[in-house]
């Protein structure tokens, strides 16, 4: 189980799928200083943008006081976070093995970072950006892996879970393959939720997770340790 948590989400490298010319071109692009190359949102291509414009777009997102808080001393904040994680481990020692206790706390942690993906499917809005937060190397990275290891399987119990667009299409194919469903009239509709994740209330998310955790057949680790 320890190895399963530590290796969670890691991918095996299957080899280079680019030619030498393509690899050389990418290497050359990495040396560009005045432009930045970012993938489009939804994985449908790439965009080349001016660095200054890109930075202004990111600042517009992260300087929103309703979502983010500016800190003056990031290093001290990292220490505080690690202290909170250690206090949590002391409170729920049965939730982690000795090996995982040492692994969860990253004493060499650094700040996470942001990057922006352009929404190519919304040209009428000036190609707005989707801000992605990466916790790689941050104090919560390994603890997040531990949480996802235990929370992820619970998502499969949800009757209306959709992982992505491909999953949605497979659901439609499954529905249409059932005899009798082809004659039904189906109206397809969708909603565009702006800044969905930042707008999810923490209390509602905790309530939903608590409900799923309490329905587990095996209640290890405890619901209280995961929720806290």
């Amino acid at each position: 189980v320890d190895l399963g948590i530590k290796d969670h989400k890691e991918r095996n490298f299957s080899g280079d799928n680019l030619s030498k010319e393509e690899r050389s071109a990418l290497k050359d692009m990495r040396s560009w200083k005045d432009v930045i190359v970012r993938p489009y949102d939804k994985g449908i291509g790439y965009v080349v943008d001016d660095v200054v414009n890109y930075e202004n777009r990111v600042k517009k997102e992260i300087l929103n006081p309703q979502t983010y808080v500016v800190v003056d001393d990031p290093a001290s904040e990292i220490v505080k976070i690690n202290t909170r994680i250690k206090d949590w481990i002391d409170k729920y020692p049965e939730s982690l093995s000795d090996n995982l206790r040492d692994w969860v706390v990253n004493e060499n942690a650094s700040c996470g970072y942001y990057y922006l993906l352009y929404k190519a499917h919304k040209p009428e809005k000036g190609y707005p950006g989707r801000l992605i937060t990466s916790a790689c190397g941050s104090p919560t990275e390994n603890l997040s892996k531990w949480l996802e290891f235990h929370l992820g399987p619970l998502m499969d119990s949800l009757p209306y879970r959709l992982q992505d667009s491909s999953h949605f299409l497979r659901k439609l194919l499954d529905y249409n393959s059932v005899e009798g469903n082809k004659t039904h009239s189906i109206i397809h509709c969708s909603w565009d939720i702006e800044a969905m994740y930042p707008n999810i209330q923490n209390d509602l998310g905790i309530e939903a997770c608590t409900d799923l955790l309490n329905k587990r057949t095996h209640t290890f680790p405890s619901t209280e340790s995961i929720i806290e």
Side-chain angles (χ1 to χ4, degrees):
V1 174
D2 288 5
L3 289 176
I5 293 174
K6 290 182 179 181
D7 296 337
H8 191 52
K9 282 284 188 180
E10 291 186 1
R11 300 288 189 267
N12 293 325
F13 183 66
S14 58
D16 197 343
N17 62 350
L18 298 178
S19 66
K20 291 183 178 179
E21 292 77 11
E22 291 170 329
R23 181 62 60 189
S24 176
L26 285 178
K27 184 178 180 180
D28 180 57
M29 291 171 65
R30 288 176 64 90
S31 67
W32 297 354
K33 303 300 182 182
D34 55 342
V35 299
I36 189 168
V37 181
R38 298 302 312 166
Y40 275 131
D41 190 38
K42 311 298 183 186
I44 57 175
Y46 292 87
V47 60
V48 179
D49 194 8
D50 178 82
V51 169
V52 175
N53 182 54
Y54 177 82
E55 290 178 349
N56 288 336
R57 283 173 173 259
V58 173
K59 289 178 181 178
K60 182 180 178 181
E61 299 287 340
I62 64 176
L63 295 180
N64 181 355
Q66 295 182 342
T67 307
Y68 301 99
V69 176
V70 177
V71 296
D72 297 322
D73 186 1
S76 66
E77 295 297 325
I78 291 175
V79 173
K80 291 178 183 178
I81 294 172
N82 272 339
T83 299
R84 290 178 61 186
I85 294 175
K86 293 174 183 178
D87 290 342
W88 172 80
I89 293 174
D90 291 339
K91 186 175 180 179
Y92 301 100
E94 72 286 350
S95 297
L96 298 170
S97 66
D98 292 339
N99 187 23
L100 284 181
R101 289 191 194 105
D102 294 333
W103 171 76
V104 162
V105 180
N106 183 1
E107 297 290 0
N108 298 314
S110 59
C111 295
Y113 61 93
Y114 299 101
Y115 60 91
L116 204 66
L117 300 181
Y118 290 82
K119 298 182 180 181
H121 55 291
K122 295 182 179 180
E124 72 282 357
K125 295 185 177 181
Y127 301 101
R130 182 189 303 279
L131 191 66
I132 307 297
T133 303
S134 173
C136 292
S138 73
T140 59
E141 178 184 12
N142 291 339
L143 184 59
S144 296
K145 289 183 179 180
W146 181 86
L147 280 171
E148 187 173 0
F149 182 84
H150 293 292
L151 288 176
L154 301 180
M155 300 299 102
D156 294 330
S157 65
L158 298 176
Y160 303 111
R161 181 199 183 196
L162 290 174
Q163 292 176 300
D164 48 36
S165 299
S166 297
H167 188 205
F168 173 68
L169 293 175
R170 291 197 299 272
K171 285 285 188 180
L172 287 181
L173 290 174
D174 292 341
Y175 180 86
N176 290 333
S177 66
V178 177
E179 193 64 30
N181 285 347
K182 296 179 181 180
T183 60
H184 294 171
S185 176
I186 301 176
I187 299 176
H188 296 287
C189 60
S190 63
W191 292 264
D192 184 15
I193 304 175
E194 294 189 4
M196 181 177 71
Y197 290 112
N199 285 324
I200 294 177
Q201 297 181 21
N202 287 342
D203 291 343
L204 291 178
I206 290 174
E207 181 181 348
C209 288
T210 301
D211 182 62
L212 286 175
L213 288 166
N214 287 336
K215 293 178 180 178
R216 292 177 296 168
T217 303
H218 303 288
T219 57
F220 176 83
S222 68
T223 295
E224 291 77 13
S225 66
I226 294 176
I227 292 300
E228 184 169 329

